[in-house]
Amino acid sequence: MSKKWVYFFANKQAEGRADMKDILGGKGANLAEMTNLGIPVPPGFTISTEVCKYYYDHGKTYPEDLKQQVDEALKRLEEVTGKRLGDPERPLLVSVRSGAAVSMPGMMDTILNLGLNDETVVGLAKLTNNERFAYDAYRRFLQMFGDTALGIPHAEFEKALEKRKEEKGVKLDVELDADDLKALVEDYKEIYKKHGKEFPQDTYKQLWAAIDAVFGSWMNERAIKYRQINNIKEGELLGTAVNIVTMVFGNMGDDCGTGVCFTRNPNTGEKIPYGEFLQNAQGEDVVAGIRTPVPLEELKKINEAVYNELLSIMERLEKHYRDMQDIEFTIEKGKLYILQTRNGKRTSQAAIKIAVDLVHEGLIDKETAVMRVKPEDVERVLHPKFDDEEVKNAKVIAKGLPASPGAATGKVYFDAKKAEEMHKNGEAVILVRPETSPEDVGGMNAAEGILTARGGMTSHAAVVARGMGKPAVVGAEEIVVDEEKLEFKVGDVVVKEGEWISIDGTTGNVYLGKITTVKPQGLEGEVAELLTWADEIRRLGVRTNADVPRDAKVAREFGAEGIGLCRTEHMFFEKDRIPKVRRMIVAKTKEQREAALAELLPLQKEDFKGLFRTMKGLPVTIRLIDPPLHEFLPHEEDQMKEVAEQVGITVEELKSIVEQLHELNPMLGHRGCRLTITYPEIAVMQTKAIIGAAIELKKEENIDVIPEIMIPLVGHINELKYVKKVVKETADALIKESGIDLTYKVGTMIEIPRAAVTADQIAQEAEFFSFGTNDLTQMTFGFSRDDVGKFLPEYLEKGILEHDPFKSLDWEGVGQLVKMGTEKGKATRKDLKVGVCGEHGGDPRSILFFDAAGLDYVSCSPYRVPVARIAAAQATIKNRK
Ligand code: PEP
Ligand code: MG
């Protein structure tokens, strides 16, 4: 038996199903599913994505038996509709639309009204008793077919249409009558001729040209770009399907119309049907943002029965798919048709609210809810808003629709390519367009925010911006964009290219000038609830990297379960400390150095008390000094004098010390445990500060602390042995003297490849491990952490590396060291706690790996703690599978 390439659907029976997205595409699979559910879907058939793959694998040719299968499906379609393709009396008209397994809105081709020619148009006019409608459909088809299948510039047709309107002295398309449209059809045919193309009167040829065009659009520039931006890898999808569906018309009169609706508000997530409707119009009018539609509720006034039917279908579809649906519908002569349903794109805020609400409504379970939300969604809801004070004083110059929430500020650019370029130069850009089209996606992605003068909440700009999570204001109708002069006007305000504006996608306000954006603080409502579910699921602990009580407090509020890394040297850089640190560095004798350290001790002790107090009862890992000492000394001539005075030596002496400390490669130099091996006094002071703080807190405030003292940059067990001995002697003496029962741990960073490889030995001394994946990445790749900017961007561009390994863990290399280190460490010491405190601790893709590698916790910056919580829960679920 030959392979099945074509799937038919009509009259409550379909050959496909919702779970066949891979081969039918999202649109085709859902059309089939809805047909099976008995929802009013116009009949049609889907050519599978496997044909698309075949087409590209075989030099743009089709499987041999495809034609026969299409012919059969067409025949069935003609039977169920009682119409025939090309029949002058009862012509069948179809739409030919793309649809991949992953929705790529507007990126590929669509042709409507296929089947019209000089003869069938007459039949259509008779059949509908509406000549104007028939010729309007014909000229639209000529336009779409010419543009899509034959590559004739869209603008040419637009020009001809404008000319007709001008000659007649009218403004709107609907003011052209049947004769005007007939004339326009002839104008359009002339355009074909001018471009050396012929419009096929043969409707069967039209059909195959349209199929070719849709498969061809899979590889067009904007579709490829869209897949790049959305990280859809080559080979992940088979291709696009082609859906051939009987046309229904929303533009046959006032008892017709078309719209898009969401079962819940896609901006806020509220459980209120939401959408837009345009009377007497075809779907393309809405999506292109040419006419601005009215809110869905208006439909209730126009036709209450249809409105109620739509609402009940929306509810059914949402219950069936157990997710918020984005539905396209058309009303033809008072009859409702559903043309598409899919899981609706939504803002981050809505994604979280909907997931949580669906759990409360009993439609999904908590794990499903956690998996539905992207870690970035959680990050985004904690993200930019305008500075309250600045926004109060800012001038609102226009207001549009709040299409995608968040605040953005940047310089105005009117061209998507230019916006991309400026973004590459490091500029913050706001892309301002009359309306956006799929060609603009690159520029939209590069922009901080998007502003359009036209279009509604379901216009291209709105849908794409929401998907990207970019702030956007659309349909700001007071704005007049002049793309030639590179400026826009609102009343008498003129904003030129390169000038600053700010937009608020939550309110729709457009402001003149730059406004600082700030991150909102705190977790509440649905996000907080979702995160508690994530906490129930996840295996990995989540700690934070924090050096001061302020950061520790934010992190605790965000749910951190301890501090995984306190970089003590950050305390040394404080204004009141740095002179003392410098005196310690320039000391000529041990005594001098100890005197300087003695001055630092009480200050450090207070710092640690602050941290311990904030983290009350939770583990706190404190790392001994890490960076090379010359980082604390001045290198500029003009600072030398001041510092020399500060520390009581001559400028010459200071210069000579700076020279002595100079290193060719400080990243691989005298830092980490190497410093405390040379100057054990530093370790002594820091240990005294840590243990002293814990003792005092216990005595004074009855707070229990279990300090974890961490030794950085260990590569050999003997390094750890040496420093650990210093630490233990100091700590034990203090504890003994205090008479208090205090436990503490001494552990190490694993951030040198040798440490990972010999982790079984190192675990004999270390009571815990924390992977320093920043240094571990640096040393595994041999890339200097501070200099990668010179070549890494090109590595990524040229595909040499898929991810920046300093942002997202290199699974195959660095990751293997992490895995080996963990296994070896735990083999020696069963209860060894293993964490990670490099930047990767807050990166969802890296967290997935750490979970699989058997780490106990991740530690990340305070604002990433919520992201890490959700990512860790997702990792548990994924790795379980
Ligand atoms: C690391 O190397 O990953 C680390 C956490 O330490 P630092 O970034 O301070 O070198
Ligand atoms: Mg390090």
Side-chain angles (χ1 to χ4, degrees), residues 567 623 626 671 712-713 749 751 772-776 779 785:
R567 292 174 163 107
R623 181 178 74 184
D626 186 44
R671 56 173 284 228
L713 225 67
M749 302 274 295
E751 51 185 341
T773 44
N774 302 333
D775 274 311
L776 194 59
M779 292 186 227
R785 278 165 78 164

